[in-house]
Amino acid sequence: MIKILSRVTFTVLVILFISSCKSGKNNQNNSMDNDSTGIAGRKWWKEAVVYQIYPRSFKDANGDGVGDLKGIASKLDYIKSLGVDVIWLNPIYASPNDDNGYDISDYRNIMKEFGTMDDFDSLLKGMHERGLKLVMDLVVNHSSSEHEWFRQSRISRTNPYRDYYHWWNAERGKPSARYSFFDVHNDAWKYDSPTNAYYLHYFSQKQPDLNWENPKVRREIFDMMNYWFRKGIDGFRMDVIPIISKDTSFPSMPASFHGDWGLFYYNNGGKLNDYLQEMNHEVLSKYDCMSVAEGMGVTTATAHDLVDEDRHELNMLYHFEGVGIGYLPGKFKTMDPKGYKLAEFKEVYSKWDSVFENRGWGTIYLGNHDQPRMVTRWGNDAPDWRELSSKMLTTFLLSMRATPYYFGGDELGMNNIKFDRIEDYRDIESINMYRQIRERGGDLQEFLNAQKISARDNSRTPFQWDSSVNSGFTTGSPWLKVNPNYKQVNVAAEEMDSNSCLNYFRKMVKLRKENLILVYGRYRLLDKENPDVYSYTRELNGKKWLVLLNFTTKTASANIGIDLTKAIVRIDNYPNPSTDGRLKPYEALIYELP
Ligand code: ISL
Ligand code: CA
């Protein structure tokens, strides 16, 4: 029987299994600057709010139903109005779109559907004119099978590009098992008849893994990164970068890594840190840029190796422990019907704060293009609570001690579309997982129900600009259905309403930008066991702020023993803030304490 890989659960299990943060290393870093604020190590990327744009779904300028660069360019004033600093664009490079751009066929060209290099140049210019920085996606664990390197590589065993990828000649027998994310049979080896060999693909069959052992591959990648930096980009978000280093003898996985554990083995190639140091030396160190790893499989024990300044590797990473909370073990991305426990949520985010308390720097996110919509997953998207809970989550994200990554559309309180039928999905993950379950006679209805909460397409539906047809996203036929609630939930309507999610987001961004205490202030969790309310303080230079967040539909009390009568309310998602520690449903409050 084919075992379903439960990616999210595996990460959580692994992290629980591995003991928490190794400590003891002294901070060797002397490069931190001090300034008049007395804050050590100030950096623009620590103070930035990152706004993520899924280009396919943001704005379609030419009516073909697919978002494009001209579309994004036409909305730069909107983005600027949010108060954010950095835009992270999901991949916009040439791609046959097996995995929506995460399968790149030419790293130095723009995807035809998205436009041209001229469109890119003027988009970047438009961003910089507005003081916005651009972070691009770097997808170099794998390329597309349609990349010229792979076309060459598969022609013959002696082709100069052969060693750009991982091949296993079939006369050696079948290689030992490796698991694939998007393969119907979870098999990461694909037999290729022209050379009677298997190639490795941790993701889809059209995403062959690049061979980082080969110095020529690394050279090509570093040159390509320099090419984009010379164009003026401000950084890279690095797709699944922790899994680039492989043991190319491909031994069978140790027993402890079998099943759900298998993918963790992918992090253990041994040379990741060498490669990142080389990348830093050859590329990153030459620019005032930011770098962030998608930290798949990174644990509290290994995080410092990637991001501490004295390592000369990357600036930040984002962990997967938070987004794994509440899923049932052994089932593919299926939520526990009882929901998630706030106590666990607090524990995870407090633990990751402590990891970076003295060294390194963290990130925080509650949604992205691989996750469902923030309000559906962590708040409550029922009509009575969607706006309040969405504002409450925004308050959380923007008041933690980590660089916030905010997914476009969440500022409107956009929620999951919850498709009923597999035919509505476009994502290879949902489609191939459905096929897999059908092949082994599994429960398809159960899968579809679970997907309503967890499927990636929930966050990829077109951006909701106004109440005109297709939410003003396209004049054509959208590549993925628009959420029918666009008539109420859209930018135009929310601009008119001073209490909208959109205007709350702007207020909260402004509060963070104007008060470094929210960026750098020490974080302390209060009232840890409270199952309903998340309370914490932030402290900087003798000042203390208090954050209170009610995660439930009931009135709930924060038991913090702090007299709030003289406290100043800095933000509240209700018009009449509580003053006695009793919080209304989904109430979010930030106080400045006397
Ligand atoms: O999407 C996921 C869970 O459903 C993740 O396991 C995801 O596959 C993983 O985080 C890697 O993600 C990144 O690389 C993938 C791409 O499909 C994702 O969109 C990207 O964020 C392959 O390039
Ligand atoms: Ca278009």
Side-chain angles (χ1 to χ4, degrees):
M1 211 225 319
I2 299 156
K3 186 150 173 57
I4 297 177
L5 287 176
S6 166
R7 292 125 217 202
V8 185
T9 354
F10 112 85
T11 315
V12 175
L13 286 173
V14 164
I15 291 161
L16 293 175
F17 179 73
I18 307 279
S19 60
S20 58
C21 177
K22 269 190 258 161
S23 56
K25 248 194 270 171
N26 288 322
N27 188 358
Q28 303 290 325
N29 180 6
N30 299 317
S31 68
M32 292 190 164
D33 1 282
N34 277 288
D35 65 9
S36 57
T37 59
I39 301 165
R42 287 188 67 179
K43 292 277 185 278
W44 63 262
W45 44 266
K46 295 183 182 173
E47 296 174 19
V49 176
V50 181
Y51 183 75
Q52 182 191 350
I53 290 182
Y54 198 63
R56 225 180 159 70
S57 303
F58 197 61
K59 174 71 186 168
D60 173 21
N62 66 349
D64 66 354
V66 175
D68 44 46
L69 301 188
K70 281 204 166 96
I72 299 170
S74 72
K75 295 296 184 186
L76 287 178
D77 288 335
Y78 168 74
I79 298 164
K80 181 67 189 168
S81 81
L82 300 173
V84 300
D85 311 271
V86 175
I87 295 174
W88 156 26
L89 283 187
N90 288 99
I92 55 168
Y93 315 94
S95 167
N97 280 310
D98 197 45
D99 183 22
N100 287 3
Y102 281 95
D103 48 321
I104 296 169
S105 53
D106 183 350
Y107 289 95
R108 294 176 189 233
N109 262 312
I110 303 296
M111 192 189 298
K112 283 207 176 65
E113 288 173 300
F114 288 175
T116 63
M117 195 56 90
D118 285 345
D119 294 338
F120 174 82
D121 292 337
S122 57
L123 176 63
L124 182 58
K125 190 161 166 276
M127 289 180 184
H128 285 168
E129 278 166 3
R130 289 167 179 81
L132 295 165
K133 292 186 191 289
L134 173 63
V135 166
M136 300 264 282
D137 224 300
L138 181 77
V139 190
V140 288
N141 172 68
H142 44 270
S143 74
S144 162
S145 55
E146 295 183 30
H147 194 291
E148 186 56 25
W149 300 336
F150 192 73
R151 287 178 193 274
Q152 294 283 337
S153 186
R154 81 200 305 183
I155 292 174
S156 79
R157 291 184 180 185
T158 53
N159 187 283
Y161 288 92
R162 185 66 168 180
D163 291 339
Y164 273 46
Y165 296 87
H166 297 287
W167 291 98
W168 182 274
N169 293 338
E171 63 271 15
R172 299 173 70 191
K174 252 210 110 166
S176 42
R178 292 293 182 269
Y179 303 118
S180 156
F181 277 95
F182 302 145
D183 189 70
V184 179
H185 302 113
N186 288 339
D187 185 355
W189 291 106
K190 167 87 175 141
Y191 178 74
D192 205 43
S193 58
T195 57
N196 187 36
Y198 299 88
Y199 66 84
L200 184 74
H201 63 92
Y202 282 174
F203 293 89
S204 90
Q205 293 182 356
K206 293 198 66 178
Q207 293 168 298
D209 283 41
L210 283 159
N211 178 12
W212 275 72
E213 301 293 298
N214 183 345
K216 285 192 207 147
V217 168
R218 302 202 297 277
R219 191 69 263 154
E220 299 258 21
I221 291 169
F222 301 153
D223 287 350
M224 174 271 284
M225 293 172 75
N226 279 316
Y227 165 83
W228 288 100
F229 276 120
R230 282 195 302 269
K231 276 189 163 289
I233 70 160
D234 303 287
F236 279 114
R237 171 269 186 193
M238 304 185 181
D239 193 60
V240 294
I241 204 81
I243 65 175
I244 55 176
S245 162
K246 283 124 184 155
D247 180 343
T248 51
S249 68
F250 295 106
S252 60
M253 276 187 226
S256 56
F257 289 111
H258 279 171
D260 280 2
W261 299 77
L263 294 167
F264 183 64
Y265 182 72
Y266 293 178
N267 270 42
N268 287 14
K271 296 202 191 129
L272 170 67
N273 300 103
D274 296 342
Y275 296 155
L276 291 179
Q277 281 166 22
E278 190 181 336
M279 178 194 281
N280 186 292
H281 183 260
E282 297 294 315
V283 188
L284 303 173
S285 60
K286 300 181 187 168
Y287 311 95
D288 177 22
C289 63
M290 73 167 243
S291 53
V292 55
E294 186 195 25
M296 180 186 243
V298 175
T299 66
T300 53
T302 56
H304 281 288
D305 293 345
L306 271 78
V307 302
D308 284 5
E309 271 191 71
D310 56 359
R311 299 282 306 180
H312 302 289
E313 296 188 20
L314 306 177
N315 299 143
M316 295 172 269
L317 62 87
Y318 56 90
H319 66 80
F320 278 70
E321 213 178 341
V323 293
I325 295 170
Y327 282 129
L328 292 172
K331 294 231 176 213
F332 179 71
K333 289 169 80 177
T334 305
M335 275 297 284
D336 187 328
K338 293 198 286 291
Y340 70 95
K341 290 197 180 64
L342 182 62
E344 194 184 343
F345 188 92
K346 291 183 202 180
E347 191 193 316
V348 167
Y349 288 101
S350 301
K351 181 174 74 183
W352 277 93
D353 177 83
S354 73
V355 170
F356 298 120
E357 185 165 356
N358 300 313
R359 290 178 293 122
W361 185 255
T363 69
I364 191 156
Y365 69 105
L366 288 177
N368 61 34
H369 66 293
D370 289 337
Q371 300 295 331
R373 279 286 171 191
M374 166 176 96
V375 69
T376 304
R377 178 78 159 83
W378 305 109
N380 188 331
D381 65 8
D384 282 354
W385 309 120
R386 186 186 56 79
E387 288 179 75
L388 277 168
S389 66
S390 163
K391 293 173 190 168
M392 185 275 290
L393 295 168
T394 293
T395 318
F396 168 67
L397 264 181
L398 293 171
S399 65
M400 289 292 282
R401 193 181 155 277
T403 298
Y405 287 68
Y406 201 88
F407 187 56
D410 282 347
E411 76 275 25
L412 306 176
M414 280 177 66
N415 59 331
N416 278 14
I417 191 162
K418 304 181 186 173
F419 291 132
D420 289 318
R421 310 171 322 138
I422 191 68
E423 291 75 19
D424 286 330
Y425 285 100
R426 297 289 170 270
D427 181 14
I428 184 170
E429 176 178 82
S430 299
I431 293 169
N432 281 359
M433 208 39 72
Y434 183 88
R435 288 186 182 138
Q436 176 180 121
I437 292 169
R438 192 175 54 196
E439 264 190 32
R440 65 178 170 80
D443 188 338
L444 289 168
Q445 196 51 52
E446 183 189 65
F447 170 76
L448 286 173
N449 289 342
Q451 288 282 290
K452 288 183 185 185
I453 304 299
S454 61
R456 307 197 297 181
D457 276 345
N458 283 303
S459 63
R460 299 177 178 184
T461 61
F463 201 90
Q464 295 166 202
W465 292 105
D466 57 41
S467 60
S468 69
V469 66
N470 293 321
S471 70
F473 162 69
T474 181
T475 53
S477 167
W479 72 276
L480 183 66
K481 281 188 182 165
V482 178
N483 192 318
N485 72 6
Y486 76 87
K487 294 235 153 100
Q488 298 80 46
V489 182
N490 64 63
V491 174
E494 297 195 29
E495 290 283 10
M496 312 288 286
D497 172 5
S498 59
N499 283 323
S500 63
C501 292
L502 173 58
N503 282 315
Y504 187 86
F505 175 67
R506 286 179 173 137
K507 249 169 89 179
M508 191 58 216
V509 172
K510 188 158 181 279
L511 190 67
R512 183 178 179 93
K513 299 295 299 179
E514 288 174 355
N515 295 281
L516 288 175
I517 189 170
L518 289 180
V519 178
Y520 295 107
R522 195 165 65 145
Y523 162 94
R524 281 289 171 270
L525 175 66
L526 308 176
D527 197 15
K528 182 171 169 234
E529 311 297 336
N530 192 321
D532 304 323
V533 178
Y534 193 164
S535 313
Y536 47 94
T537 51
R538 304 293 311 277
E539 273 175 84
L540 185 76
N541 294 339
K543 288 199 167 155
K544 195 174 195 175
W545 287 27
L546 170 69
V547 181
L548 301 179
L549 308 165
N550 182 354
F551 273 69
T552 74
T553 56
K554 314 166 291 193
T555 300
S557 293
N559 308 308
I560 45 171
I562 298 176
D563 175 15
L564 295 174
T565 46
K566 294 209 179 77
I568 303 163
V569 175
R570 299 305 303 251
I571 197 164
D572 181 22
N573 62 350
Y574 276 85
N576 48 340
S578 310
T579 49
D580 55 359
R582 279 176 63 74
L583 302 172
K584 297 183 270 295
Y586 291 113
E587 188 164 20
L589 268 160
I590 300 184
Y591 293 101
E592 182 175 342
L593 298 178

